[in-house]
Amino acid sequence: MKLFRMLGRSIRDAIKSVIRNFSLSLASISCITITLIIVAIAIIASYNVQNFTKEIERDMTIVVFLENNIEQEDIDDVEKELKSIPNVEKYTFQSKQEVKKQMQEESDVFNTVLENWDDEESPLKDTFQVKVRNVEKLSNTAKKIEKVDHVSVVRYGSGMVDKMVKAFNSVEKVTFGIVIALVLVTVFLIINTIKLTISARRREISIMRLVGASNFTIKTPFIIEGMILGIFGSIVPILITTYGYLAFYRHFEGHLYSQLIELIKPEPFIYQISGIVLLIGIIVGMIGSSSAVRKYLKV
Amino acid sequence: MDLIRMKNVEKKYKNGVTAIYDLNLAIEKGSFVFVIGGSGSGKSTLIKMLYREEKPTKGQVIVGGLDVAKLKNKKVYKLRRKLGIVFQDYRLLPKQTVYENVAFALECIGEKKDVIRTKVLKALEDVGLKNKVHNYPDQLSGGEQQRVAIARAIVNDPKLLLCDEPTGNLDPEKSLEIMKVLEDINKMRGTTIIMATHDKEIVNKMKKQVITLKDGHLVKFKQKGTYVE
């Protein structure tokens, strides 16, 4: 009962203080707003990078070309060998007729060229398309497959794709670093603004201590004030990221530059981001205010 | 029974100044004690040690059964709830009314609203300010402001009321008014009062117990004492 009464008073005091020190509150709210917008953008970017690097990794395939005019028995042997390699997740067989058909469907040029070849003289080969469990061991696995009898050539997206994944990974790390740095900056900003509100209420705090208020009682209104600032500060960033991302997604129709880079679907992604932004705002406000008030609670 | 007991108390400030040397003292419940002495005699330090604004460097300070020297920072509020403190500069909240200023002390310790109302009105009646409940501090005279501070100090029915030069900013007439209020509190509520002052006239007039300090040493502790240089 008593706890609820105290909590009620703390909330009332916190709201009063936010209103009473309106200009100061507005200053810290705008500080939080600006940083949270940047933080939110950085988070969205880093999630998207993470997402499509994974997507690309998932799409990486080893294509195993078999020798010309291979017998069905030998195909079965190759299949057995593939099965025995631990890093192979799954594989699909595509006969040269199927390959031909697929290529013909893809382009008119191929269509007319391929038309003239029958099975015997076709340059196309029977293939296995292999997906691996661990992309980092892709080249190793490819080499192993190459050694299997009746395998003529092994192709995998070495070079380009490999480098791309690495580049994205480092981009991801950099954005993560930026997010952390920005959050720290915001904490410092809030510590300073709450310190200003507190020093305006120094007298009140010293009187509270004199009349026997516990540290908890003194601290709570300020911590709640910090949380309120955090909540207000995250409203605009949430709106901007939600509607901004929706518009961004619609404008690019879910893909950036090429089919390869796929954006995360807005739902439920934007809600998660909003939640994270709100949480960061609240936590940052709390940490800032509680560390600011600590100084005044020593004798 | 002794409400306050001090044993071999020494206070040395961080800057090397020693304010109190080897002080031994016992103050009975219900008594009215003046602490007198010139500037730098250690009056304020003595009062500050009683509400643990300062910790003694040596010795024991016991207030109402609490060992003040050993009290942790987080637990100071337990001591503060047992006593009321009045300062020379009143220390009121300027943006709050008389009623709110006094109620503040009870709100801080989580008292119920109706209890607060009765206690606050009673305290304001005791100091004679019942008709100024809704005024703000800057609409009151110095004497009235000090009475609000006294009301705030006694609203929680403390056993001990500490006053650090409560009449220091007031003219003799208003000072006597304040002393009248304090004496009434001492008599009616049985509150022990310790008051640091350098106002000769008041001390001589009131004929209470007097502790005389000089350069941090206890010179005299007399019943019905007068102000002696």
Side-chain angles (χ1 to χ4, degrees):
Chain A
M1 242 347 258
K2 192 173 162 184
L3 189 75
F4 282 120
R5 200 156 58 227
M6 300 296 280
L7 215 61
R9 273 176 194 149
S10 298
I11 293 170
R12 183 199 65 191
D13 281 357
I15 293 170
K16 251 193 207 165
S17 167
V18 171
I19 295 166
R20 205 175 284 167
N21 304 311
F22 185 73
S23 53
L24 215 53
S25 304
L26 201 65
S28 37
I29 288 172
S30 7
C31 277
I32 299 171
T33 301
I34 291 164
T35 13
L36 280 183
I37 288 171
I38 302 170
V39 167
I41 291 170
I43 291 175
I44 287 177
S46 107
Y47 264 100
N48 268 300
V49 168
Q50 215 170 15
N51 180 56
F52 62 68
T53 46
K54 264 202 198 111
E55 209 62 45
I56 287 166
E57 282 174 356
R58 212 177 298 136
D59 276 353
M60 275 210 216
T61 328
I62 302 176
V63 185
V64 181
F65 295 91
L66 302 180
E67 286 171 342
N68 269 335
N69 306 319
I70 196 169
E71 301 291 322
Q72 186 57 42
E73 268 174 56
D74 296 331
I75 295 175
D76 292 343
D77 280 348
V78 174
E79 192 178 342
K80 262 180 218 157
E81 287 285 340
L82 285 179
K83 224 180 222 169
S84 70
I85 296 171
N87 198 27
V88 171
E89 193 178 53
K90 63 176 186 187
Y91 49 82
T92 44
F93 178 72
Q94 224 173 0
S95 69
K96 55 177 146 185
Q97 291 83 5
E98 282 165 349
V99 176
K100 182 178 170 187
K101 218 172 152 193
Q102 198 188 342
M103 286 175 83
Q104 280 177 322
E105 275 164 16
E106 267 172 25
S107 114
D108 288 341
V109 182
F110 282 141
N111 193 4
T112 48
V113 174
L114 291 173
E115 202 65 39
N116 301 324
W117 280 319
D118 60 20
D119 278 0
E120 281 305 308
E121 48 187 12
S122 164
L124 298 171
K125 290 169 176 162
D126 295 321
T127 58
F128 276 105
Q129 296 191 333
V130 178
K131 298 241 167 167
V132 294
R133 279 178 231 279
N134 187 350
V135 184
E136 279 161 34
K137 287 183 189 156
L138 189 76
S139 54
N140 243 333
T141 311
K143 270 175 202 149
K144 255 185 212 163
I145 296 172
E146 213 161 22
K147 283 177 193 145
V148 175
D149 283 344
H150 307 295
V151 170
S152 80
V153 188
V154 173
R155 278 280 159 75
Y156 64 97
S158 56
M160 243 311 267
V161 177
D162 249 5
K163 270 176 202 156
M164 208 159 121
V165 169
K166 264 179 198 150
F168 283 145
N169 271 336
S170 50
V171 167
E172 199 188 312
K173 269 174 200 145
V174 170
T175 40
F176 187 70
I178 292 172
V179 167
I180 295 285
L182 281 172
V183 168
L184 286 179
V185 169
T186 320
V187 169
F188 278 115
L189 281 172
I190 292 174
I191 287 177
N192 279 314
T193 34
I194 299 263
K195 256 185 194 164
L196 287 173
T197 36
I198 288 174
S199 76
R201 294 176 61 190
R202 225 164 159 169
R203 196 182 174 81
E204 207 172 316
I205 293 177
S206 75
I207 293 170
M208 281 174 103
R209 271 184 76 75
L210 284 176
V211 296
S214 62
N215 284 3
F216 177 79
T217 319
I218 298 173
K219 247 194 241 173
T220 317
F222 290 105
I223 291 175
I224 292 175
E225 190 180 337
M227 284 166 68
I228 292 174
L229 294 181
I231 291 169
F232 278 134
S234 53
I235 291 173
V236 174
I238 285 174
L239 291 178
I240 287 181
T241 48
T242 304
Y243 290 104
Y245 188 71
L246 271 174
F248 184 75
Y249 189 85
R250 280 204 203 106
H251 183 256
F252 288 101
E253 284 157 350
H255 296 279
L256 207 56
Y257 304 124
S258 77
Q259 291 299 110
L260 201 60
I261 301 177
E262 196 177 329
L263 296 168
I264 300 174
K265 288 202 175 64
E267 274 176 55
F269 180 60
I270 43 172
Y271 301 124
Q272 292 163 350
I273 294 297
S274 302
I276 292 172
V277 167
L278 183 65
L279 208 67
I280 291 177
I282 290 174
I283 291 174
V284 156
M286 269 175 67
I287 293 173
S289 54
S290 63
S291 69
V293 81
R294 193 173 300 144
K295 198 180 101 189
Y296 293 90
L297 291 181
K298 287 172 189 148
V299 180
Chain B
M1 213 191 99
D2 294 334
L3 183 68
I4 295 169
R5 205 172 304 153
M6 297 179 104
K7 222 172 154 185
N8 306 109
V9 173
E10 187 192 284
K11 175 67 192 176
K12 195 175 179 181
Y13 283 105
K14 277 191 184 121
N15 59 13
V17 176
T18 308
I20 298 276
Y21 295 94
D22 195 35
L23 186 73
N24 289 288
L25 203 63
I27 291 170
E28 260 175 55
K29 225 179 196 171
S31 42
F32 196 129
V33 187
F34 285 114
V35 181
I36 60 170
S39 303
S41 61
K43 298 189 302 267
S44 281
T45 305
L46 176 62
I47 299 277
K48 276 179 185 163
M49 278 195 291
L50 291 177
Y51 66 90
R52 204 193 166 283
E53 180 73 22
E54 296 292 346
K55 266 179 166 178
T57 16
K58 260 188 216 162
Q60 220 179 20
V61 178
I62 291 174
V63 177
L66 274 174
D67 191 340
V68 178
K70 282 184 186 157
L71 206 58
K72 286 207 179 74
N73 195 28
K74 270 190 178 172
K75 305 278 177 193
V76 170
Y77 72 91
K78 287 190 174 169
L79 171 72
R80 302 272 168 91
R81 286 181 190 186
K82 291 185 178 198
L83 44 86
I85 314 165
V86 178
F87 298 94
Q88 182 172 358
D89 55 357
Y90 325 132
R91 301 207 187 168
L92 300 174
L93 296 168
K95 284 179 188 165
Q96 302 201 359
T97 63
V98 168
Y99 179 89
E100 286 168 340
N101 261 292
V102 180
F104 185 68
L106 294 175
E107 274 179 14
C108 284
I109 59 175
E111 199 63 82
K112 271 189 215 148
K113 234 181 178 158
D114 46 336
V115 177
I116 291 179
R117 193 169 170 77
T118 11
K119 282 191 171 182
V120 170
L121 291 178
K122 172 82 175 62
L124 284 172
E125 195 179 354
D126 285 359
V127 299
L129 278 179
K130 221 182 170 184
N131 54 341
K132 304 240 165 150
V133 167
H134 298 298
N135 287 53
Y136 286 88
D138 57 5
Q139 298 168 327
L140 303 177
S141 71
E144 285 169 330
Q145 288 187 46
Q146 189 62 294
R147 281 191 273 159
V148 176
I150 293 171
R152 184 181 63 197
I154 60 167
V155 73
N156 195 27
D157 292 317
K159 292 178 193 164
L160 176 64
L161 183 60
L162 299 172
C163 309
D164 196 354
E165 307 261 10
T167 58
N169 281 350
L170 304 174
D171 58 40
E173 197 186 327
K174 296 280 179 211
S175 297
L176 282 178
E177 264 178 47
I178 294 293
M179 292 320 296
K180 176 89 180 48
V181 169
L182 289 177
E183 198 173 15
D184 283 350
I185 289 166
N186 178 242
K187 274 186 188 149
M188 311 291 282
R189 296 188 176 226
T191 312
T192 311
I193 296 182
I194 298 178
M195 174 171 158
T197 185
H198 55 248
D199 191 328
K200 272 184 218 172
E201 231 173 281
I202 285 175
V203 177
N204 292 338
K205 213 168 198 167
M206 299 282 289
K207 303 260 186 317
K208 302 285 182 188
Q209 300 178 45
V210 177
I211 293 171
T212 313
L213 292 174
K214 200 185 174 195
D215 300 331
H217 295 277
L218 177 67
V219 183
K220 255 183 232 161
F221 189 180
K222 266 171 81 178
Q223 305 290 324
K224 300 206 172 176
T226 49
Y227 198 105
V228 191
E229 292 287 335

